[in-house]
Short mmCIF file of all heavy atoms in Angstrom, two decimals:
data_model
loop_
_atom_site.label_atom_id
_atom_site.label_comp_id
_atom_site.label_asym_id
_atom_site.label_seq_id
_atom_site.Cartn_x
_atom_site.Cartn_y
_atom_site.Cartn_z
N CYS A 185 1.50 -0.08 -4.29
CA CYS A 185 1.42 0.17 -5.75
C CYS A 185 0.11 1.04 -5.89
O CYS A 185 -0.96 0.64 -5.54
CB CYS A 185 1.23 -1.00 -6.56
SG CYS A 185 1.39 -0.64 -8.28
N PHE A 187 -2.46 1.81 -8.42
CA PHE A 187 -3.14 1.57 -9.72
C PHE A 187 -4.22 2.53 -9.95
O PHE A 187 -5.11 2.70 -9.04
CB PHE A 187 -3.86 0.21 -9.66
CG PHE A 187 -2.79 -1.02 -9.58
CD1 PHE A 187 -2.57 -1.66 -8.27
CD2 PHE A 187 -2.11 -1.43 -10.72
CE1 PHE A 187 -1.63 -2.63 -8.14
CE2 PHE A 187 -1.08 -2.46 -10.50
CZ PHE A 187 -0.92 -3.11 -9.33
N ILE A 222 10.83 -3.61 -5.66
CA ILE A 222 10.03 -3.92 -6.87
C ILE A 222 9.74 -5.39 -6.93
O ILE A 222 8.63 -5.75 -7.44
CB ILE A 222 10.94 -3.40 -8.18
CG1 ILE A 222 9.94 -3.45 -9.40
CG2 ILE A 222 12.17 -4.30 -8.36
CD1 ILE A 222 10.50 -2.63 -10.65
N ASP A 223 10.63 -6.21 -6.47
CA ASP A 223 10.32 -7.75 -6.44
C ASP A 223 9.24 -8.02 -5.37
O ASP A 223 8.34 -8.91 -5.50
CB ASP A 223 11.58 -8.37 -6.10
CG ASP A 223 12.48 -8.38 -7.34
OD1 ASP A 223 12.15 -8.19 -8.51
OD2 ASP A 223 13.79 -8.41 -7.04
N THR A 224 9.35 -7.28 -4.26
CA THR A 224 8.28 -7.32 -3.25
C THR A 224 6.87 -7.07 -3.90
O THR A 224 5.91 -7.74 -3.68
CB THR A 224 8.46 -6.30 -2.11
OG1 THR A 224 9.74 -6.60 -1.47
CG2 THR A 224 7.30 -6.39 -1.11
N LEU A 225 6.83 -5.95 -4.61
CA LEU A 225 5.62 -5.55 -5.17
C LEU A 225 5.01 -6.59 -6.27
O LEU A 225 3.76 -6.95 -6.14
CB LEU A 225 5.90 -4.11 -6.02
CG LEU A 225 4.57 -3.53 -6.46
CD1 LEU A 225 3.85 -3.03 -5.27
CD2 LEU A 225 5.04 -2.38 -7.23
N LYS A 226 5.84 -7.15 -7.04
CA LYS A 226 5.39 -8.22 -7.98
C LYS A 226 4.94 -9.43 -7.21
O LYS A 226 3.94 -9.91 -7.58
CB LYS A 226 6.55 -8.55 -8.97
CG LYS A 226 6.92 -7.51 -9.81
CD LYS A 226 8.14 -7.78 -10.69
CE LYS A 226 8.73 -6.76 -11.63
NZ LYS A 226 9.92 -7.22 -12.28
N ARG A 227 5.71 -9.82 -6.21
CA ARG A 227 5.37 -11.08 -5.48
C ARG A 227 4.06 -10.91 -4.73
O ARG A 227 3.18 -11.58 -4.75
CB ARG A 227 6.43 -11.29 -4.36
CG ARG A 227 6.11 -12.42 -3.51
CD ARG A 227 7.24 -12.59 -2.42
NE ARG A 227 7.59 -11.53 -1.81
CZ ARG A 227 6.98 -10.94 -0.72
NH1 ARG A 227 5.86 -11.46 -0.26
NH2 ARG A 227 7.51 -9.84 -0.08
N GLU A 228 3.87 -9.59 -3.99
CA GLU A 228 2.66 -9.43 -3.34
C GLU A 228 1.39 -9.37 -4.25
O GLU A 228 0.46 -9.91 -3.89
CB GLU A 228 2.68 -8.10 -2.55
CG GLU A 228 3.72 -8.08 -1.26
CD GLU A 228 3.16 -8.82 -0.12
OE1 GLU A 228 1.91 -9.15 -0.06
OE2 GLU A 228 3.94 -9.26 0.66
N ILE A 229 1.51 -8.74 -5.35
CA ILE A 229 0.36 -8.71 -6.30
C ILE A 229 0.08 -10.06 -6.74
O ILE A 229 -1.13 -10.38 -6.83
CB ILE A 229 0.77 -7.67 -7.49
CG1 ILE A 229 1.07 -6.29 -7.07
CG2 ILE A 229 -0.46 -7.75 -8.58
CD1 ILE A 229 -0.02 -5.58 -6.18
N LYS A 230 1.05 -10.81 -7.01
CA LYS A 230 0.81 -12.19 -7.50
C LYS A 230 0.08 -13.11 -6.39
O LYS A 230 -0.71 -13.81 -6.56
CB LYS A 230 2.15 -12.87 -7.94
CG LYS A 230 2.11 -14.29 -8.49
CD LYS A 230 1.28 -14.25 -9.88
CE LYS A 230 1.30 -15.57 -10.48
NZ LYS A 230 0.33 -15.78 -11.70
N LEU A 233 -3.57 -11.28 -5.41
CA LEU A 233 -4.55 -11.03 -6.57
C LEU A 233 -4.42 -12.00 -7.64
O LEU A 233 -5.13 -12.09 -8.58
CB LEU A 233 -4.55 -9.60 -7.10
CG LEU A 233 -4.90 -8.50 -6.13
CD1 LEU A 233 -4.62 -7.24 -6.73
CD2 LEU A 233 -6.47 -8.66 -5.79
N THR A 235 -2.25 -12.10 -10.16
CA THR A 235 -2.00 -11.45 -11.35
C THR A 235 -0.74 -10.73 -11.52
O THR A 235 0.08 -10.80 -10.53
CB THR A 235 -3.17 -10.50 -11.68
OG1 THR A 235 -3.24 -10.05 -13.06
CG2 THR A 235 -3.03 -9.17 -10.77
N GLU A 236 -0.37 -10.37 -12.70
CA GLU A 236 1.02 -9.83 -13.10
C GLU A 236 0.70 -8.28 -13.23
O GLU A 236 -0.38 -7.81 -13.56
CB GLU A 236 1.57 -10.35 -14.20
CG GLU A 236 1.67 -11.95 -14.24
CD GLU A 236 2.76 -12.40 -13.36
OE1 GLU A 236 3.72 -11.68 -13.16
OE2 GLU A 236 2.58 -13.45 -12.92
N ILE A 237 1.89 -7.53 -13.10
CA ILE A 237 1.75 -6.07 -13.35
C ILE A 237 2.86 -5.60 -14.42
O ILE A 237 3.87 -6.41 -14.58
CB ILE A 237 1.83 -5.21 -12.07
CG1 ILE A 237 3.24 -5.57 -11.28
CG2 ILE A 237 0.65 -5.54 -11.23
CD1 ILE A 237 3.34 -4.70 -10.00
N LYS A 238 2.72 -4.52 -14.98
CA LYS A 238 3.70 -3.92 -15.88
C LYS A 238 3.84 -2.43 -15.74
O LYS A 238 3.01 -1.88 -15.04
CB LYS A 238 3.31 -4.28 -17.34
CG LYS A 238 1.91 -3.60 -17.66
CD LYS A 238 1.45 -4.07 -19.09
CE LYS A 238 0.14 -3.45 -19.55
NZ LYS A 238 -0.36 -3.96 -20.73
N ASN A 239 4.69 -1.83 -16.59
CA ASN A 239 4.89 -0.36 -16.50
C ASN A 239 5.10 0.03 -15.08
O ASN A 239 4.61 1.11 -14.65
CB ASN A 239 3.74 0.28 -17.06
CG ASN A 239 3.52 -0.10 -18.47
OD1 ASN A 239 4.38 -0.44 -19.28
ND2 ASN A 239 2.25 -0.19 -19.00
N ILE A 240 6.02 -0.50 -14.34
CA ILE A 240 6.23 -0.28 -12.94
C ILE A 240 7.27 0.95 -12.84
O ILE A 240 8.30 0.93 -13.48
CB ILE A 240 6.82 -1.46 -12.14
CG1 ILE A 240 5.92 -2.65 -12.41
CG2 ILE A 240 7.08 -1.15 -10.68
CD1 ILE A 240 6.50 -4.02 -11.99
N GLU A 241 6.80 1.98 -12.05
CA GLU A 241 7.57 3.12 -11.90
C GLU A 241 7.53 3.56 -10.59
O GLU A 241 6.41 3.78 -9.87
CB GLU A 241 7.16 4.25 -12.93
CG GLU A 241 7.90 5.56 -12.75
CD GLU A 241 7.20 6.67 -13.63
OE1 GLU A 241 6.41 6.23 -14.55
OE2 GLU A 241 7.70 7.72 -13.59
N TYR A 264 5.04 2.81 -5.72
CA TYR A 264 5.22 2.61 -7.16
C TYR A 264 3.83 2.89 -7.86
O TYR A 264 2.73 2.96 -7.18
CB TYR A 264 5.61 1.12 -7.50
CG TYR A 264 6.99 0.89 -7.08
CD1 TYR A 264 7.26 0.38 -5.81
CD2 TYR A 264 8.12 0.91 -7.97
CE1 TYR A 264 8.49 -0.10 -5.43
CE2 TYR A 264 9.31 0.58 -7.51
CZ TYR A 264 9.57 0.18 -6.45
OH TYR A 264 10.84 -0.18 -5.99
N GLN A 265 3.94 3.15 -9.12
CA GLN A 265 2.67 3.21 -9.89
C GLN A 265 2.97 2.10 -11.03
O GLN A 265 4.00 1.96 -11.49
CB GLN A 265 2.50 4.50 -10.62
CG GLN A 265 1.23 4.75 -11.39
CD GLN A 265 1.06 6.16 -11.71
OE1 GLN A 265 1.90 6.97 -11.79
NE2 GLN A 265 -0.31 6.42 -11.98
N ALA A 266 1.87 1.31 -11.37
CA ALA A 266 1.91 0.25 -12.37
C ALA A 266 0.49 0.10 -13.01
O ALA A 266 -0.38 0.79 -12.53
CB ALA A 266 2.34 -0.98 -11.66
N ASN A 267 0.51 -0.88 -13.84
CA ASN A 267 -0.74 -1.24 -14.57
C ASN A 267 -0.88 -2.73 -14.43
O ASN A 267 0.14 -3.45 -14.42
CB ASN A 267 -0.72 -0.85 -16.10
CG ASN A 267 -0.49 0.57 -16.25
OD1 ASN A 267 0.63 1.00 -16.74
ND2 ASN A 267 -1.56 1.29 -16.08
N PHE A 268 -2.09 -3.05 -14.39
CA PHE A 268 -2.44 -4.53 -14.33
C PHE A 268 -2.19 -5.19 -15.74
O PHE A 268 -2.63 -4.46 -16.74
CB PHE A 268 -3.81 -4.81 -13.96
CG PHE A 268 -4.15 -4.66 -12.44
CD1 PHE A 268 -4.93 -3.48 -12.06
CD2 PHE A 268 -3.68 -5.41 -11.55
CE1 PHE A 268 -5.30 -3.29 -10.69
CE2 PHE A 268 -3.87 -5.21 -10.19
CZ PHE A 268 -4.72 -4.09 -9.83
N CYS A 269 -1.62 -6.27 -15.93
CA CYS A 269 -1.48 -7.01 -17.19
C CYS A 269 -2.91 -7.44 -17.69
O CYS A 269 -3.22 -7.42 -18.84
CB CYS A 269 -0.63 -8.09 -17.17
SG CYS A 269 1.14 -7.57 -16.94
N ASP A 270 -3.71 -7.96 -16.67
CA ASP A 270 -4.94 -8.49 -16.96
C ASP A 270 -6.02 -7.23 -16.90
O ASP A 270 -6.17 -6.86 -15.74
CB ASP A 270 -5.36 -9.53 -15.81
CG ASP A 270 -6.76 -10.08 -15.97
OD1 ASP A 270 -7.52 -9.57 -16.94
OD2 ASP A 270 -7.11 -10.97 -15.26
N TYR A 274 -9.61 -3.68 -14.38
CA TYR A 274 -10.03 -2.30 -14.41
C TYR A 274 -11.53 -2.13 -14.35
O TYR A 274 -12.18 -1.05 -14.47
CB TYR A 274 -9.41 -1.68 -15.74
CG TYR A 274 -7.96 -1.35 -15.52
CD1 TYR A 274 -7.05 -2.25 -16.12
CD2 TYR A 274 -7.49 -0.40 -14.72
CE1 TYR A 274 -5.59 -2.07 -15.93
CE2 TYR A 274 -6.09 -0.36 -14.56
CZ TYR A 274 -5.15 -1.12 -15.18
OH TYR A 274 -3.87 -0.93 -14.91
#
Side-chain angles (χ1 to χ4, degrees):
C185 194
F187 294 102
I222 194 166
D223 295 327
T224 300
L225 195 63
K226 292 174 185 177
R227 175 182 51 77
E228 289 286 340
I229 301 303
K230 184 69 173 169
L233 293 168
T235 194
E236 307 285 333
I237 59 176
K238 62 183 179 181
N239 304 325
I240 305 165
E241 183 181 344
Y264 290 89
Q265 187 168 21
N267 299 107
F268 289 113
C269 291
D270 179 353
Y274 291 103

